[in-house]
Structure formats: structure tokens, C-alpha cells
Amino acid sequence: MPPSPSKPSPDIVRLVKGEHGDPHRVLGAHTDGRGNVVIRCYRPDALGASVVLDGGERVEMKKVHEGGVFEATVEGEKVPDYTFEVRYADGSFPVEDPYRFWPTLGELDLHLIGEGRDEALWEHLGSHHRHHEGVDGTSFAVWAPNARAVRVVGDWNQWDGRLHPMRSLGSSGVWELFIPGVKPGDRYKYEILTRHGGLVLKADPMAFATEVPPQTASVVWDPAYEWGDDEWLRHRTGEEPLDRPMSVYEVHLGSWRWTRDADSGDWRPLTYRELADELGDYVVDMGFTHVEFLPVAEHPFGPSWGYQVTAYYAPTSRFGTPDDFRYLVDRLHQRGVGVIVDWVPAHFPRDAFALAQFDGTALYEHADPRQGSHPDWGTLVFNFGRNEVRNFLIANALFWIKEMHVDGLRVDAVASMLYLDYSRKEGEWVPNAYGGRENLDAIAFLREMNEVVYRDCPGVMTIAEESTAWPSVSRPTYLGGLGFGFKWNMGWMHDTLEYFSKDPIHRRFHHHQLTFGLLYAFHENFVLPLSHDEVVHGKGSLLNKMPGDRWQQLANLRSLYAWMWAHPGKQLLFMGSELAQEREWSESRSLDWHVLEWAPHRGVQTLVRTLNSVYRDEPALWSRDFDSTGFSWIDANDADNSVLSFFRRSPDTGRLLVCVANLTPVPRDGYRVGLPRDGRWVEVLNTDDAAFEGSGVVNGTVDAEPTPWHGLQSSGV
């Protein structure tokens, strides 16, 4: 029986107080069991409301609660098609009723979400513009299992949380609402009533798009991009990443190159679409096989470089729309360039509008700060032991690969995930169930993530930034490994940079720093990183790490790059290093492209371009990167001369490359090197070549003679 204005039902009271978990039970159309349909709407501040039936008939509604609940009775047992007309002081407005629609999520969807097994989570949660029951609008769904009530607020309702309360869908923890008329581009958030009665305003964890920071609202987005990279994806699927050449150009999108804005005249970063052409042309010209973007998921704080993510499913809006980012990836693929993105599942920031205490409880993070708070970065650590949290992250990995077509994920800060005592003192961490320091939940998550990615997405790669001696990071899970495809070789990076920073006169005492890495070079599938981390926070540029005057610094830098490209493992070089940039990198300005006005800097750039060309053309330099049979020392022990020599072999062609590194500024006339056979050996590359602005002291060819040396049957000088 319809409630009277003098005594509204408890359901209506809870609705007006904003505490009802199932507003569809009160609002919308309901048969009363006596041959009538009761229709209610909730429009606070309205002066009156009418039901407008499909044929144009109008039925005046009466106010049944002073808070703005209106009700009308329509004869007939069938629910009619209808809309509302709502009257305010400034006029009347037609309103579609969100509470007359069925849920947009099915029982199977909710079951998988509730169990934390929905690997296509982004297709079900978040906002989705759609045509639902004959009406255009947007569905909203959010996981907030501990909330008392959830409302959608946005541009269409003047951010008034009273107008669009959501319904709780059973035990799944999901709240859902379809709102007619909400369109792509509309901004929104969720207003959440916590179990303690407080209100929090949150951006959508599953949003596809966001406002441009520092604004923090989510944005309804309807992906409409038509891909043109089918050939690339077919080729990718048929190849094993370990067996391909891989020379990576690491890029921070906001500081690679700036341009002058046509309207304001101010300098600004390139957009996604501008980068698609300019960065694409540059990477192809330089011969890199892949680009790796520092995190592109939305983040509020620019100086975090993207490593403090607040919207895991949204490319940052700083440089364009999600479809603009798709265009960037597509164009790179069409040029034959692979795309890797940095992915940050280890931690997230404490910003009040984002994941932290999302529904008033520690939902995504651990409640215990000894497990849920990161001491180094002031961030929060994901609760990897919670099924729904693991699902959120694993689905996110699949999202970037399937929806954004990226070819790989470089997983940040893996070491911080593996150890419960990472950066924590005695008494500041909680041992695992066996009393150890290993984070068993994080280990299980990483293994599951890698298994799912490699199962569903053949040809892609996952890369661990892991700085400890944890075993088998890049070995399959069925062999006890973590399941990554590759691991950054941080030990190689530290030893190599320390060696090259020494004055050549002292290098004889540090010879082992270059040879030590070959003792473990084949224990993992290593990437050799000279990354952004080595040119920030007062570390200076790679050029300025080198000893000596400027000419010597440039010569040392060229030697460093040639050593890296010749060494077993894939290469990664941070942008600007190929220019021999003099200043330390900053995210707040463009690279120093003007240094190319000077020939010595152009020489380093030419060397990197040539290294990439030689590398791609010589399978010996990449086909057995992770197999010790592809490498052997000729002489690893000539510390007095600071000279090292070794072979790289190709399994298919039988072609053999000899690499000799003279790491002092002293020409070694008459220096004899052992070779496996007689004949003429042709010099492929010499970093002292005048083409690279070196001194021009090169070998050209070497004629090997049958003089045994270094345990080999022949030798040459």
C-alpha cells in the first residue's frame, strides 16, 4: 500500500537519509498486487513531478516525503513505458528514470567478481557507455563491499549525491546503476557512505579516462579506435621474445621533446599523436627494436614520473585521450617498433580521492601498516593475499596487453614485493606463516600474473626490475621460478658504471667488475639497463660519470655503449643518453637536443645508431643471449692492459664475432689476440672511428696467422 506523506515507510526514510543499499526496491515502477503499478522518483528540491506515459498521458505525482520522494499510481498490471517531468523554480525538465532498468551485470559476472576470478574485469566494472533496454546511457559498477551506500555524482546531476544512489548486487560487493543520457566526456566520481557514517568521494578505480591533473575526476569514455596493427600482432604471436633482437629505448613521454604551442606560444610536451610521428620516426632512424614508456597510467604527481598510480586502467590525460594513446601504439607497431610499458603493482599513493581506504576500510591495501605502508615512498602496499585485489591487478596487466596492444610489461620494484622486511627495521615487519621474510602472497601473485599473461597473450613479455639475488626470477613457474620472461641485470649495471667511472690508470685494479657479471650472465634472461634511475637525483648524466676531460669522457662513453651492445643480454638505454646529454635528466623539461649542434655529440648518436644496425644484422649478438654456448672468453685476465676479448656465436649461420675492449686511452700496437681460424677478419665497428668523432685509430682488417695464442690455433695483431 502506498505510504502516506505523514508516515513514509522505513525504506523511503532510509532512501532520503542516503543509507539505502537497494534503491530500486523503492524507486521506479512496482506492481502493488491489486492491478496497479506504483511509480516513485526521488528528486530533492523539486516543486513537483509527473509521470509521462508512452502515449503522452500525464499522471501527477504526489509528494510522499518532504525530502523529495514523489509517487503516482497507474492502473494496469503491466509496467508501462514512461519518463518523468520534474518541476523546479526555474522550469520543468524531462527525466529518464534510472530505476526502471535491469542490472547490466549478469549472475556469472558477479560470481567471478566476487570470487576474484574475473580476468576481464574492466568489461564489467567501471563506467560503460551503452544502449541498454532501448535507451542510450552509461552503466556504473564499483566494488565497495564494506560501504553502507554508494552514489554516482557527476556533471549530469550537478554532483548531487542524493540523485543517483546505486544498488548493492548481493554478496559480490558490487554496486551498480545505469543512468540514461550520461555520455562520453561526462566527469564523475563515487560518493561512498562508510560503515562508520562518513562520506568519501572517490574516483573510479576502473575508469578508462580521467581529467587532466591536478583535477581528479574520472571521465566516461567509449573506446572507438580502429586498429591497424594486425600484421604486427600476427608476427608477434608467432615469435618467442627470448629469441629476438631487443634493443630498448626508454622514454618518459612528458620530457622527450617539447614544442611551442600554436595558441599560447608556450613550450609544452608533445601529445600522443605528435609522438606517434616524431618519436616513431626517431626510433626507427636510430634502429631501436622497442620503446619502453615510463608508467603511462594516470598519476596526480608529475615528479613521481608515473610511479604513483591512481587510475590503473587510464592512460594519463596529460597527452591526450585513451584513443590517442592507442594511436601512438598502433603507429609504432606499423613502423615495426614494439611497445613496453612500466607497470606498478607494488604500491599506490595515499591520495584521498583514489584507492586508499576506498570504501572507508583498507580495501586494496593491508590494514596493518607493517604490511600495508611502504617506508621508502610513503605509499601503500597492495594486499596480495586478497583475491579481489589480485584480480584487479592481473586483469589490469591483461587490459594493457589486450586493449592497448602493448607488447610487454616491465614490472617495477619487484624486490620490494618479495620481501616482508624490505626497507624495514627489526620489529617493523611481520614474518610469514613459516617465520620467514618472504612475502608468500606477493610471490603467489607474481607467479599467477605471469602464468595468465603468457597463457593468454603469446608473444608478449614480462620484465622484472628486481635488484636482489632472488633465484629463478625469469624461469617458468613449473620449474619453481617467478615466471618472468626477463630480469633487469642491476648487478651488471652497478659494476659496469662503477668500472667506467674510474680513471683508466686505476682500472687494472677493478678488472673483475667487468668479468664478474659473466659468472652469472646465463642464470637469468637478463636485460642490461642504463635506465632513468642512473641519471637523476644528483647522479648526473652518463657522460658526466665518465673520467677525464670532455674528449676522454666522450671516448669512454662510446666504449661503454659498445661494451653493452656486445655483452650477452638485451639492451636498454634511457632517452638522452644517446645524445651524450650533459645535464642530468629532469621530467620538467625537454631533452637537450641542442647538444647535437656539436659534432662530438652527433658522433655518440651515430655510434648508437650504428650499434643498433650491427646488432640487428648479426644474430651472434642476440640469438644466444641466454645460452652460455653463445659466448666464450678469449682473454678475461689481461688486467694490466685493461683489455678484454671474447667471442659471440650464432647457432644458425655459424658466424663468429670477436669483441676486443681496450679500456685505456693507450693504443695497443702489436697486441695479439687468439682467433679460432686463419684468414682475414674484417672490423665491423670501432668506437674510435672518425665517423663517431674518435681519433680515427682503427684496424680495418686483421689477418690471422697460424700462431697459437690464448689457447686458440690462430691469432692476429
Side-chain angles (χ1 to χ4, degrees):
M1 183 172 182
S4 67
S6 59
K7 191 176 181 180
S9 72
D11 273 343
I12 290 178
V13 172
R14 288 172 57 209
L15 176 76
V16 173
K17 291 175 68 175
E19 298 177 351
H20 208 297
D22 187 9
H24 291 71
R25 197 171 85 185
V26 182
L27 301 176
H30 304 268
T31 57
D32 65 359
R34 295 178 296 174
N36 301 312
V37 174
V38 177
I39 302 174
R40 299 189 192 94
C41 73
Y42 178 38
R43 303 300 295 184
D45 305 326
L47 300 179
S50 302
V51 175
V52 181
L53 301 177
D54 190 35
E57 180 185 352
R58 304 165 63 86
V59 180
E60 184 66 18
M61 307 182 79
K62 62 181 178 180
K63 183 179 286 188
V64 296
H65 191 288
E66 289 303 316
V69 180
F70 297 87
E71 177 181 292
T73 300
V74 178
E75 293 183 356
E77 295 184 353
K78 182 181 178 182
V79 175
D81 290 332
Y82 67 93
T83 59
F84 297 126
E85 184 178 273
V86 183
R87 299 187 297 278
Y88 294 92
D90 56 350
S92 298
F93 304 92
V95 175
E96 282 276 10
D97 184 8
Y99 300 96
R100 70 180 182 90
F101 296 93
W102 289 97
T104 54
L105 293 172
E107 288 297 325
L108 178 59
D109 300 330
L110 295 173
H111 179 72
L112 292 174
I113 294 169
E115 290 194 348
R117 295 190 298 113
D118 186 359
E119 293 173 0
L121 192 65
W122 69 90
E123 295 180 358
H124 305 129
L125 297 185
S127 62
H128 295 270
H129 186 251
R130 65 177 77 216
H131 193 69
H132 182 50
E133 296 183 36
V135 176
D136 284 332
T138 298
S139 62
F140 297 89
V142 62
W143 180 61
N146 301 305
R148 287 172 59 187
V150 182
R151 284 90 80 155
V152 187
V153 295
D155 290 334
W156 63 90
N157 63 14
Q158 292 73 53
W159 298 83
D160 187 340
R162 299 173 297 175
L163 295 178
H164 289 114
M166 305 177 76
R167 64 176 147 203
S168 174
L169 296 178
S171 61
S172 66
V174 174
W175 300 75
E176 184 267 354
L177 184 65
F178 174 77
I179 306 179
V182 175
K183 60 189 182 304
D186 284 347
R187 302 171 302 156
Y188 70 98
K189 284 187 178 181
Y190 297 114
E191 188 177 82
I192 298 174
L193 179 66
T194 72
R195 61 170 55 163
H196 303 297
L199 277 181
V200 292
L201 192 60
K202 294 289 187 176
D204 190 347
M206 305 294 298
F208 294 148
T210 71
E211 286 187 287
V212 178
Q215 304 305 313
T216 60
S218 303
V219 176
V220 176
W221 187 258
D222 187 15
Y225 186 76
E226 294 186 10
W227 291 92
D229 62 350
D230 289 351
E231 183 178 349
W232 170 271
L233 296 181
R234 282 194 298 271
H235 177 71
R236 182 183 79 181
T237 300
E239 287 200 343
E240 167 56 54
L242 298 178
D243 299 333
R244 298 193 299 240
M246 182 172 155
S247 172
V248 183
Y249 187 56
E250 189 187 28
V251 176
H252 176 262
L253 290 171
S255 60
W256 181 70
R257 181 176 288 165
W258 285 22
T259 188
R260 196 179 289 278
D261 189 83
D263 296 325
S264 68
D266 297 331
W267 289 94
R268 62 163 178 81
L270 298 179
T271 65
Y272 290 132
R273 288 185 176 266
E274 291 166 340
L275 285 159
D277 294 325
E278 295 194 33
L279 177 62
D281 289 344
Y282 182 75
V283 171
V284 169
D285 174 63
M286 291 299 296
F288 289 98
T289 66
H290 293 74
V291 294
E292 179 178 316
F293 296 140
L294 272 63
V296 295
E298 192 60 270
H299 51 282
F301 185 52
S304 77
W305 315 328
Y307 289 100
Q308 295 196 8
V309 178
T310 51
Y312 275 79
Y313 288 79
T316 179
S317 56
R318 290 169 173 85
F319 315 119
T321 70
D323 282 358
D324 292 337
F325 178 76
R326 287 179 169 90
Y327 178 82
L328 168 60
V329 175
D330 195 3
R331 292 292 290 152
L332 287 168
H333 282 171
Q334 291 175 39
R335 286 171 161 84
V337 178
V339 179
I340 303 164
V341 297
D342 280 13
W343 187 56
V344 192
H347 63 121
F348 59 92
R350 297 174 180 268
D351 297 69
F353 73 89
L355 295 181
Q357 293 280 310
F358 184 77
D359 62 359
T361 67
L363 190 62
Y364 288 90
E365 68 273 31
H366 275 282
D368 188 336
R370 294 174 298 172
Q371 296 172 279
S373 179
H374 201 295
D376 283 352
W377 305 312
T379 51
L380 298 172
V381 179
F382 281 104
N383 183 354
F384 300 109
R386 187 164 195 165
N387 292 342
E388 299 94 336
V389 173
R390 289 200 307 273
N391 190 187
F392 173 80
L393 291 170
I394 291 170
N396 186 243
L398 294 174
F399 169 83
W400 286 99
I401 296 167
K402 293 184 175 183
E403 297 292 333
M404 297 301 181
H405 286 205
V406 304
D407 306 291
L409 301 172
R410 178 268 195 185
V411 183
D412 181 62
V414 170
S416 75
M417 302 170 68
L418 295 176
Y419 299 98
L420 294 164
D421 63 345
Y422 186 89
S423 289
R424 293 180 172 89
K425 299 176 184 177
E426 187 81 25
E428 295 179 348
W429 58 282
V430 180
N432 63 33
Y434 305 101
R437 58 196 285 255
E438 298 82 9
N439 189 333
L440 302 180
D441 290 334
I443 294 165
F445 158 71
L446 290 170
R447 286 174 170 161
E448 182 182 0
M449 181 275 296
N450 282 313
E451 288 171 352
V452 170
V453 166
Y454 280 101
R455 180 197 71 200
D456 286 5
C457 310
V460 303
M461 66 188 89
T462 60
I463 307 165
E465 186 217 13
E466 204 285 314
S467 55
T468 74
W470 189 279
S472 301
V473 171
S474 57
R475 294 293 179 261
T477 58
Y478 62 81
L479 295 178
L482 291 183
F484 286 94
F486 298 91
K487 172 182 173 175
W488 273 20
N489 194 337
M490 309 297 282
W492 174 90
M493 179 272 296
H494 285 296
D495 289 346
T496 301
L497 288 182
E498 186 172 349
Y499 177 91
F500 274 89
S501 70
K502 303 293 184 185
D503 190 295
I505 199 171
H506 301 303
R507 286 178 177 170
R508 59 185 298 185
F509 305 110
H510 301 274
H511 195 73
H512 69 282
Q513 288 185 297
L514 290 191
T515 61
F516 177 68
L518 272 303
L519 295 177
Y520 61 85
F522 308 105
H523 293 177
E524 301 275 5
N525 303 328
F526 280 124
V527 173
L528 311 179
L530 293 178
S531 73
H532 64 281
D533 280 328
E534 313 321 314
V535 294
V536 291
H537 299 323
K539 297 177 185 177
S541 66
L542 291 184
L543 178 66
N544 285 326
K545 295 182 195 298
M546 302 296 108
D549 59 25
R550 185 45 51 92
W551 192 95
Q552 292 171 322
Q553 286 181 313
L554 289 159
N556 274 288
L557 188 65
R558 295 195 302 270
S559 296
L560 167 63
Y561 291 163
W563 175 259
M564 175 180 173
W565 259 259
H567 196 284
K570 310 305 185 184
Q571 297 81 36
L572 178 140
L573 189 67
F574 184 57
M575 65 180 200
S577 300
E578 83 282 8
L579 312 177
Q581 179 154 317
E582 298 175 349
R583 288 196 296 177
E584 182 176 275
W585 171 65
S586 170
E587 85 286 340
S588 62
R589 62 173 181 258
S590 174
L591 293 181
D592 292 336
W593 294 97
H594 64 272
V595 300
L596 293 178
E597 297 172 9
W598 295 290
H601 292 269
R602 293 197 300 274
V604 174
Q605 185 190 46
T606 301
L607 171 70
V608 173
R609 183 186 294 113
T610 306
L611 283 168
N612 276 329
S613 177
V614 170
Y615 171 73
R616 295 180 81 156
D617 290 344
E618 296 289 351
L621 290 174
W622 49 263
S623 59
R624 288 193 182 181
D625 270 327
F626 314 118
D627 181 349
S628 60
T629 63
F631 172 92
S632 60
W633 285 111
I634 298 173
D635 186 2
N637 300 311
D638 190 1
D640 287 342
N641 289 310
S642 296
V643 174
L644 299 106
S645 51
F646 56 85
F647 294 130
R648 298 295 306 275
R649 293 184 178 87
S650 167
D652 299 325
T653 65
R655 189 170 169 85
L656 192 69
L657 264 68
V658 174
C659 305
V660 182
N662 173 23
L663 300 176
T664 65
V666 179
R668 303 292 178 185
D669 295 328
Y671 191 88
R672 185 169 293 275
V673 177
L675 295 169
R677 56 179 176 263
D678 297 346
R680 175 159 291 182
W681 293 72
V682 178
E683 189 171 58
V684 176
L685 183 144
N686 190 318
T687 63
D688 207 26
D689 196 311
F692 311 133
E693 297 298 318
S695 65
V697 179
V698 297
N699 299 291
T701 60
V702 173
D703 291 315
E705 56 190 22
T707 301
W709 206 259
H710 291 140
L712 298 167
Q713 66 182 30
S714 303
S715 62
V717 295

